[in-house]
Structures are given as structure tokens and as C-alpha cells.
Amino acid sequence: MGYHWNWGIFWEQSPEGTGTYFDMLVQGLETTLVTAALAWLIAFVVGSVVGVLRTLPGRVAPAIATCWIELFRNMPLLVQLFLWYFVVPDLLPGPWGVWLKQLPNAPFITAVLGIGFFMSARVAVQVASGVEALPRGQRAAATALGLTGPQTYRYVLLPMAYRIILPPLTSELLNTIKNTSVALTIGLAELTARARAVQEFSFQVFEAFTAATLAYLVVNLIATLAARWLEDRVRVPGFGKP
Amino acid sequence: MSNFDFDIVWQNLPYLFLVGLRFTLTLTVLAALGGVILGTLLAILRQSGGPVLSGFVAGYVNLVRALPLVLVIFWFYFLVPYVGQWVTGSPRPIQVGGFASALITFIVFEAAYFSEIMRAGIASIPRGQSSAGQALGLTHAQVMRYVVLPQVFRIMLPVLLTQTIVLFQDTSLVYVLSITDFLGAASKIAERDGRLVEMYTFAALVYFVLSFAASRGVQRLRARYAVPR
Amino acid sequence: MSAVIQIENVDKWYNPAVQVLRNVSLTVSRGEVVVVCGPSGSGKSTLIKCVNALEPIQHGRIVVDGEDLGGKGVNLPRLRARVGMVFQHFELFPHMRVLDNLCLAQCKVLGRSRQEAESRALVLLDRVGLTAHAAKFPGQLSGGQQQRVAIARALAMDPVVMLFDEATSALDPEMVSEVLDVMVGLAQSGMTMMVVTHEMGFAGKVANRVVFMDQGEVVEDAPSKQFFEGAGSERARQFLSKILTY
């Protein structure tokens, strides 16, 4: 192949003047991790609330939950980010929109919110399916003991539901990390964007992408191991073997 | 919101649909077909390919699934010309068009996800089915071809279609290569005429309607298929 | 004798075409043990679930310990806490140790301190013979042991009445008697009980009255001696001959 490899490229100064190319990638990785962590926080909290709503008796709460889920699940993440970044500021009353547009870290905030809400729909589906996987008698037993609805969810249903859905939740967490790369389209300087920048400055495309690939693999591995550790820790003795 | 201009959407409908959406749908269908075929092969190799081959396939599937699609799109955009050069023995990297590059990327990327679906499907077929096939004198390959896979496709059809809806949404990411898919077309008009609000809202609406309708269709299919085996 | 449970003219349906309870009336007095039996689909399990409002009713009135379940401002959680219920499938909370299963509602509903709840729990575990298993998880116990824990969990709330919804029908045969023994002991201690069961031996031993239901109606409500010596209705006689044949 007519490609000139240069693995030493990472230790050369980048033209941005903020350190080496390696430093660029490390900063990108940091941005990826921070963005993903905050987006996951939103996804987990909002997704849990929406998932619980979906399992409540009656019609109104489940209908609201279904609308939320369908809304955020049926548009590409990229399009959702564009909506948050380009459209929502225009829909807000004048000064608010301007304020939003001029935030110095608008790409970051948009990415956290956009990815968080996008993933919340997926978390909600998992939480609801976890609650529905429990025997119906569990809710009845808690109710019969005099626990209120919130207490039933807090002490009886959710602790088991979260245990059941831990494996799929782990893949949703990994998806959240991967999805932060979509935010490069609105100017977030995350890992893939930085690898691309290294390539544009240095023309060492494959070195840059290899480094990013390895970084994603390591992050993936750590998250997977952490999840497995958590699964072991919260495993209920005598309750199946997940 | 003060001056939402529907006219800009109306005027550009032919471009949006005949150029943009057509590209998106073509890419989706071809990538889904290619991805299912390659994914099925990978699933079979992984299940019955010997330790080295199945280990290699497992490594490939896990690698692809650990990477963001955006990064994979960039990888292939730069890699495919070199691979083409190597395959054809041409003196210089071969320039492939945006469509070919995107199609190869999506087939190879989605195959990893489709192969996991097929693997779960193969695992769900009772062992007795293969035993019965082999007892009739069918070879291993014949058992796969005539007994196992037809059942797997039937069981997994809703899941494969759901993954195809995800693929349909994911094709919007070719935006990063400045390709004129549906979102690319909307974006080009948005930038040219300074009509970001109208174009992106319209694009979101179209994606929503198509995905929502398709997933409703899959749900109906699932309900119809939900008969005891 | 004062009534602990008063069921008056209760109708229940899921839709008008499927009526599961028809004009059911039934009273359980303090200290009484009432066995409710009948073929599957007769509405007996539904009826017992209505007694602590786990199932809504469409018509009629249910009064428990002096409070109308459908009354205005009735505090259902508080009322349910006074009614112990034992389920067919035990419904212990799998992620909690046996002791925590017994303490949860005591602390969260009755507001007892953890210490108070634990000492009450240990007394009851002793009563059902499971003190040694206090620190285990439900999944580590046999079905019979789980059901005894479930009985102890209900008793920990110091209920005025205990409801048993086919408490032995999900058990392996060899575990039925250990649970029935606990129930008999409870009956003999003077607990008010409403028991949905097919165990006619239990009924003969401790029930004051037997209620026979069929197709959502109370067909017969008689003192148990009278019921077994000669059930008044043809349907009840047929039912008895079917389940007593073996």
C-alpha cells in the first residue's frame, strides 16, 4: 500500500499549539466520557420515571410514557441533535433563544440533553419491561401489606426490575458512550472529532483512527467489566442464575 | 417560529424526495440485505467454524459493536480506496464514490449486529431439530439450509426488521461525508437558503413518520406471528 | 359476635358480559374460621382479593373491621395493613432476606422502629419454626418454608383477620402439611380467618363454616359439620364427591 506509516506522530506538537497530538486525543476522550456520563444520568433518571409511568395502572400515565418513547425513538439521533441545536433556540421566546445560541459551550449542553433524552426512551423501554417481567403477585403482595404505590415501586418492584435489566442497561450505557460521537456534527470536540482533526492536520489517518479505536475498546472493556462486577454484587442468592 | 416558511419545503420536495430520500432508502434496503446475508454467514461460522475461525468472527463482531458508527464510517471512507488498490493491483488508491463507500460501511457494520440476532435465533431452535435432520441423513450444511435457517428467519423476522429501522435512522450519519442522503439534501437547502428551522423540522417529521409507521407494521407482524410453534 | 368482614350484595364484572361475582353476601365474625371452596372459576379467589380491595367491585359494599372499603376518605394502605393476606405463590420479595421481608411493611407502613420490627419478626419466625433461616433469601428456601415465611410476614402486621388464597395449591404434596399445621395452629389460637382452599381435611378440622361458591354465586353457607354431613345443594354434593373421591 502506498501509505506512509508514522507511529511517532502522536508525540509531535499539534498546530493548535496546545500540546502533542496525543494530548488532543486525550482531551477528546475526556470530552467523550464527561458528555456520556451526564447524558447517561439524564437517560437513567428520565428513563426510569417514564418506564415507571408506563407500568402504572390506568390509561393516562402509560399513554404519556408511550408518547415520550415513540417521539424519541423514531427520529435519528443526528436529526434530534440538529433540532436541539438549530431549531429549539428559534422556537424559544426571543431573548432565551439568543442566550441559548450564544452559550460558549452550546455543543456540549446540546449533546448532553439531546443524547440524554434520546437514550431515555431506550432506558424507559427496559425499565418497563423489567417491571412487567416480575410476577403480578409481587405488586399485589406489597399492596396487601399496606405499602403505598411509591413504596411498592421503591422497595419491591424496582430493586428486582433493575437487577433483571442490568445486562441490557449495560449495553445502553455503552450505546450512550458511542453515541457521543454523533455530536461531532454540532461541533463537540469528542474523541472521534479529535481523531479526525489529527488526521486533517497530520494526514496520518490510520494512526489517528487506530488510536481512537483502541481508546473506545478500552472504555468498552472497562464498562463491561464494571457491569459484570455490579451484576455479581447485586445477585440475589437462590434467584435464578442470570 | 415567527416566519415559518412552508413554501421553502414545498419548492424543494422533488429534490428532497427524489434525490435525498431515494438515496437513503436505496442505501437502507441494500445494506439490510447485504448485512443480513453477511451476518448470517458470520453467525454460522461462529457457531460451527472451528475454534480459530469462530474466535476470529467473535473478535470481529465484538470489535465492530464496540465502535461508534461515525468512527467506522470514517475508517471505511479512508480505508476502502487502499483496499481497492490492493485488490485490483492498481498503482494508486482507488476512488470509490460516496454511495459505494457508504454501502460497504453499512453492510460490514450492520452485519455484526445482524449476526448477533441470527446467532440468538439459531440458539433458540431446539437441538432436536438438527438431530432429526441428521437422523434423516442430511449433512450439516443441509440441516442448516433446509431445517434450521428457515425457522430462524421466520422467528427473527420482526427483530431483523426492527434492526433495519435502526439502520434506516443510522444512514443519516453519512451526513459526515457530505453525501446527499435525505438529511444531506435537507441540510444543503437549509444552508443555501438559511432555512435551518424549516428544513430540519421537516426532515425530523419525515423520519418520524416513516420510522413510526414501520415500527407499527413490525408490531402488527409480531402479533400475527405470535402463534405457538 | 362482631363482624370483621361484611360482604353485602357484591357484584363484580370485567365487562358486562363476564360477571365474576353475583350478589355475593357473606359475614366473617371475630374468631371465626370460614372456608370458601368451589370449582375453579367460581369466583372464590376474586372474592378474597376484593376483601382488601386488590380488586375493585362494581356494586355492593364490603366493610372490614368497621370501615367501608369504598367509603370516602378511607385510607386503603392502613386498612390493608390490618388484613393479613397469604398468596398462592407466596410472593416473598426475592431480593430481601427473610427477616427483611418481615420487617419492610412493619417499618414503612406501621412506622415501627427497626429494632421493634425485628423482635416481632423473630417471635413469628419462631412460631412457624424458621428462626434458623432468618438471614436467608427466599430463593434458598423450599416452597413450604417460603409459604410459612409469608404467613409470618402477614402476622407481623398484627392483623385483625387473615386471608388465605389457595395457600397450599402451588406446593409439592409433601410440603402441604407443614403449611396446614401452621394454619391449624393459627385457627386454634383464635385468629379470624377466611380461607380459600380445596383442603377439606383442614375445613373439617378447624372451620366454623364452609361457604360453597359456583359461577360467581354463594350456593351454600353452612356450619362445617352440617356441610360435610349433608350439603344442601346438588352442586355442592357433586363438587364434594369429585374432590373427595381419591
Side-chain angles (χ1 to χ4, degrees):
Chain A
M1 291 207 295
Y3 182 78
H4 299 285
W5 293 93
N6 175 14
W7 289 101
I9 186 71
F10 298 119
W11 315 115
E12 291 175 17
Q13 292 294 315
S14 79
E16 285 182 336
T18 52
T20 61
Y21 284 118
F22 181 77
D23 295 332
M24 273 174 80
L25 292 175
V26 170
Q27 285 153 14
L29 179 60
E30 277 172 15
T31 305
T32 288
L33 293 178
V34 172
T35 310
L38 292 177
W40 179 249
L41 193 69
I42 291 178
F44 186 78
V45 173
V46 176
S48 294
V49 171
V50 175
V52 166
L53 285 182
R54 199 175 201 190
T55 61
L56 289 180
R59 287 205 184 153
V60 180
I64 293 171
T66 303
C67 286
W68 181 275
I69 290 167
E70 296 297 343
L71 183 66
F72 286 100
R73 211 167 47 165
N74 284 308
M75 281 183 269
L77 174 58
L78 177 53
V79 173
Q80 293 190 31
L81 289 182
F82 281 3
L83 286 182
W84 289 107
Y85 197 66
F86 297 117
V87 178
V88 169
D90 259 50
L91 299 182
L92 291 173
W96 285 96
V98 174
W99 172 76
L100 204 63
K101 271 183 188 165
Q102 289 172 347
L103 282 176
N105 47 359
F108 173 69
I109 292 172
T110 308
V112 167
L113 287 177
I115 298 169
F117 285 138
F118 175 79
M119 293 305 300
S120 78
R122 284 144 207 274
V123 172
V125 171
Q126 299 296 349
V127 169
S129 75
V131 171
E132 275 152 16
L134 300 173
R136 286 170 53 94
Q138 288 282 299
R139 190 194 294 264
T143 309
L145 281 169
L147 295 177
T148 60
Q151 285 175 329
T152 300
Y153 275 91
R154 163 74 184 78
Y155 298 110
V156 177
L157 300 179
L158 287 179
M160 277 314 289
Y162 281 127
R163 282 177 168 86
I164 294 172
I165 63 170
L166 201 50
L169 273 190
T170 306
S171 26
E172 297 302 359
L173 169 65
L174 297 176
N175 285 337
T176 307
I177 298 171
K178 288 187 277 177
N179 279 337
T180 52
S181 66
V182 177
L184 67 79
T185 55
I186 53 168
L188 185 72
E190 48 68 64
L191 182 55
T192 302
R194 299 273 73 190
R196 186 100 162 89
V198 170
Q199 169 252 318
E200 275 169 355
F201 290 137
S202 71
F203 301 106
Q204 297 299 336
V205 48
F206 296 127
E207 292 86 338
F209 289 172
T210 303
T213 298
L214 288 176
Y216 280 114
L217 284 179
V218 169
V219 169
N220 224 59
L221 189 69
I222 292 172
T224 308
L225 289 178
R228 222 167 270 170
W229 172 83
L230 186 62
E231 270 171 53
D232 276 343
R233 249 191 76 102
V234 301
R235 177 163 296 148
V236 175
F239 186 79
K241 167 148 178 36
Chain B
M1 196 64 215
S2 45
N3 48 353
F4 196 97
D5 184 1
F6 288 100
D7 221 35
I8 193 81
V9 174
W10 182 246
Q11 282 165 12
N12 291 291
L13 274 188
Y15 177 66
L16 286 169
F17 282 144
L18 295 181
V19 179
L21 192 59
R22 185 180 179 167
F23 181 101
T24 294
L25 292 178
T26 312
L27 180 60
T28 302
V29 169
L30 293 182
L33 286 176
V36 168
I37 292 170
L38 182 57
T40 305
L41 285 175
L42 290 176
I44 293 172
L45 286 180
R46 188 163 177 187
Q47 201 227 354
S48 47
V52 181
L53 199 53
S54 68
F56 183 78
V57 171
Y60 167 79
V61 168
N62 290 331
L63 170 69
V64 169
R65 295 192 329 139
L67 297 181
L69 177 53
V70 177
L71 180 63
V72 177
I73 289 174
F74 284 138
W75 255 119
F76 276 84
Y77 182 69
F78 290 102
L79 197 59
V80 167
Y82 285 100
V83 174
Q85 176 192 15
W86 180 66
V87 169
T88 59
S90 140
R92 279 177 296 116
I94 294 193
Q95 287 314 308
V96 292
F99 180 78
S101 173
L103 182 59
I104 294 170
T105 306
F106 276 94
I107 287 177
V108 168
F109 182 82
E110 294 293 333
Y113 288 85
F114 282 123
S115 88
E116 287 294 276
I117 295 171
M118 294 304 290
R119 194 161 72 102
I122 292 172
S124 77
I125 304 294
R127 281 206 73 79
Q129 288 289 306
S130 332
S131 309
Q134 276 160 349
L136 289 171
L138 298 178
T139 65
H140 187 80
Q142 286 172 322
V143 168
M144 247 321 152
R145 164 75 182 77
Y146 296 107
V147 180
V148 176
L149 286 184
Q151 299 188 49
V152 173
F153 276 114
R154 211 184 146 79
I155 297 170
M156 287 294 163
L157 187 61
V159 189
L160 292 171
L161 289 174
T162 300
Q163 181 63 28
T164 304
I165 298 172
V166 173
L167 164 62
F168 165 68
Q169 294 186 15
D170 280 350
T171 57
S172 64
L173 290 174
V174 299
Y175 169 88
V176 299
L177 299 180
S178 307
I179 287 174
T180 310
D181 71 323
F182 181 64
L183 181 63
S187 159
K188 274 170 192 162
I189 296 162
E191 301 283 344
R192 188 192 66 196
D193 299 350
R195 287 293 175 186
L196 276 66
V197 172
E198 288 85 349
M199 294 316 294
Y200 288 142
T201 306
F202 180 68
L205 191 71
V206 170
Y207 275 111
F208 179 83
V209 167
L210 291 177
S211 297
F212 184 74
S215 57
R216 277 294 136 115
V218 174
Q219 262 176 32
R220 199 170 286 184
L221 187 73
R222 205 184 282 270
R224 178 138 40 107
Y225 267 129
V227 284
R229 273 165 32 84
Chain C
M1 281 201 297
S2 62
V4 180
I5 300 172
Q6 266 175 283
I7 300 169
E8 293 170 7
N9 310 107
V10 165
D11 287 326
K12 175 175 176 62
W13 57 78
Y14 293 109
N15 61 60
V18 189
Q19 185 150 6
V20 281
L21 294 177
R22 282 170 216 269
N23 195 26
V24 171
S25 295
L26 176 63
T27 305
V28 180
S29 301
R30 199 167 301 282
E32 232 186 347
V33 176
V34 174
V35 161
V36 182
C37 63
S40 60
S42 60
K44 54 193 192 306
S45 272
T46 308
L47 178 65
I48 206 168
K49 288 195 182 87
C50 291
V51 171
N52 60 0
L54 288 178
E55 294 271 0
I57 57 175
Q58 272 69 42
H59 179 260
R61 189 166 97 104
I62 298 178
V63 181
V64 174
D65 201 22
E67 275 195 77
D68 187 338
L69 290 187
K72 276 204 185 112
V74 65
N75 184 340
L76 276 182
R78 280 277 154 179
L79 186 56
R80 286 176 178 133
R82 277 184 279 157
V83 178
M85 179 144 190
V86 179
F87 295 82
Q88 183 176 5
H89 296 285
F90 334 137
E91 305 301 352
L92 295 178
F93 306 134
H95 58 295
M96 294 181 187
R97 295 174 192 279
V98 165
L99 193 62
D100 297 323
N101 260 281
L102 267 68
C103 291
L104 176 71
Q106 290 191 68
C107 295
K108 301 298 170 192
V109 180
L110 302 181
R112 288 181 183 160
S113 71
R114 175 77 198 180
Q115 209 184 0
E116 226 180 326
E118 272 188 24
S119 63
R120 180 84 186 116
L122 287 171
V123 167
L124 289 161
L125 281 180
D126 183 50
R127 186 158 160 192
V128 298
L130 291 171
T131 315
H133 300 283
K136 287 193 179 162
F137 286 90
Q140 297 170 308
L141 303 180
S142 73
Q145 290 171 326
Q146 289 192 50
Q147 192 62 300
R148 282 146 64 200
V149 172
I151 293 172
R153 178 175 73 177
L155 289 173
M157 304 295 285
D158 297 317
V160 295
V161 57
M162 286 284 286
L163 310 177
F164 291 82
D165 183 10
E166 308 219 23
T168 55
S169 52
L171 291 171
D172 289 335
E174 74 272 19
M175 293 173 186
V176 170
S177 65
E178 64 185 82
V179 173
L180 286 179
D181 285 347
V182 171
M183 290 168 65
V184 168
L186 200 57
Q188 285 165 348
S189 76
M191 174 60 75
T192 311
M193 294 163 68
M194 180 170 170
V195 184
V196 170
T197 186
H198 287 151
E199 296 292 339
M200 289 301 127
F202 172 82
K205 205 166 186 174
V206 293
N208 300 93
R209 281 179 20 240
V210 177
V211 172
F212 174 74
M213 290 183 71
D214 193 14
Q215 293 174 5
E217 287 175 311
V218 171
V219 178
E220 188 148 350
D221 180 347
S224 60
K225 206 167 172 209
Q226 187 184 322
F227 181 82
F228 288 114
E229 281 173 357
S233 71
E234 181 58 28
R235 278 191 278 181
R237 269 199 299 274
Q238 271 181 6
F239 174 74
L240 273 181
S241 74
K242 269 179 201 153
I243 64 168
L244 294 179
T245 308
Y246 288 98

